[in-house]
Amino acid sequence: MADIGNVAAQSMSTWTDLSGFSALRHQAETDSNSALPAVAKQFESMFTEMLLKSMREANFGDPLFDSQATDQWQDMYDQQLSLNLSHGKGLGIADMLVRQLGGHNQAAQGADHKTGAVDPHTAGVTDNWRQRLFDLEDATRSTVRSAMKWVPQDAEAFVRELAPQASIVAKELGLSLRTVLAQAALETQWGKHMPTHSDGSSSFNLFGIKAGGSWDGERVNVPTVEYEGGIAVRKQAQFRSYKSAAASLADYADLIGKDPRYAAARGHGDDVMGYARALVEGGYATDPTYAGKVSAIANSSVMRQALDALKKTAGLPNL
């Protein structure tokens, strides 16, 4: 029987990497007893890392001071922390999985190997575990994809969840919070429709910013509508992809705040129409009715109700 150390000694980075399941699948084909504890421990590490990422994304902070280098170091730290938290007895998730997936039966089966006896109660456990390993892989991938989605329940949730970050960006650009939220609401239909990757994960692109030649981050290729000579034309286009809504807001602030084309858009305060018209004149959108659409959302009863609800819960008097 293979030593469990052969599985556990694999590169620890695979413990928080879905690709590590491939090696464990192969191990399960030849020795399910050693694969079960390893995959359970891997699942606990991945689950812990997802929890850490979710908690960090909920900490709004100041996205203007974030950087790609900071994000990379933070990801490395979270990965190492998740491994440390799941080391030894960990959080108990791995032990629970081992028990639920038949680990206690496999231990008994191992004892029977010493005498050559076959325990009828554990017969077929290996085949059953192999299928469960495959099921666990699919479930884990689904869990990771779900963690990478963000679809607000309604307009109030959209405003409530974005407001802490968007207010920082609005102040930096000399705009009202209502102005920033209205543009994001138009581009994403209140957060329900953002460009998504083939695996279903969100791009978190709140403002429909395309990925040009100068963009060195992740991209997503999706159908879109452009206006040529006032006529709507369907095309495929590449859009920027971000790790979170905060990263999208920070990039939006950089684009509007630093690009000379949008100098006239800055500092409009609560003049939503003036801001949106300046964006169109700078080439931000090809839709000739873009400014009117942003203004209509900003002045809609839906936006008014969402901001009123925010005032009551967050105590923000000036929106």
Side-chain angles (χ1 to χ4, degrees), residues 283-302:
Y284 190 97
T286 59
D287 182 354
T289 63
Y290 189 82
K293 290 177 179 177
V294 175
S295 181
I297 289 179
N299 294 309
S300 68
S301 60
V302 176

Side-chain angles (χ1 to χ4, degrees), residues 120-199:
H121 297 290
T122 61
V125 167
T126 299
D127 291 339
N128 186 44
W129 155 240
R130 188 182 299 118
Q131 182 57 49
R132 291 189 179 194
L133 175 61
F134 300 158
D135 293 342
L136 179 58
E137 175 183 19
D138 293 338
T140 304
R141 290 183 186 276
S142 177
T143 301
V144 172
R145 284 195 297 269
S146 296
M148 296 173 67
K149 296 179 181 179
W150 176 64
V151 182
Q153 183 178 0
D154 51 29
E156 288 190 14
F158 178 83
V159 168
R160 182 178 62 253
E161 294 171 25
L162 285 185
Q165 302 159 309
S167 60
I168 297 172
V169 170
K171 183 178 180 179
E172 180 72 13
L173 298 177
L175 304 172
S176 67
L177 174 61
R178 183 175 72 117
T179 301
V180 174
L181 291 174
Q183 188 182 3
L186 172 63
E187 292 286 355
T188 66
Q189 296 182 36
W190 298 98
K192 296 188 181 300
H193 297 283
M194 284 180 278
T196 57
H197 296 275
S198 58
D199 64 355

Side-chain angles (χ1 to χ4, degrees), residues 176-179 270 307-308 310-311 316-319:
S176 67
L177 174 61
R178 183 175 72 117
T179 301
D270 201 35
L307 290 176
D308 286 345
L310 181 65
K311 289 179 184 179
L316 300 177
N318 299 315
L319 300 175

Side-chain angles (χ1 to χ4, degrees), residues 50-68:
M50 284 190 291
L51 287 178
L52 292 172
K53 287 182 181 296
S54 297
M55 288 188 289
R56 292 197 187 283
E57 289 174 4
N59 179 20
F60 298 117
D62 187 346
L64 297 178
F65 293 99
D66 288 344
S67 67
Q68 186 174 5

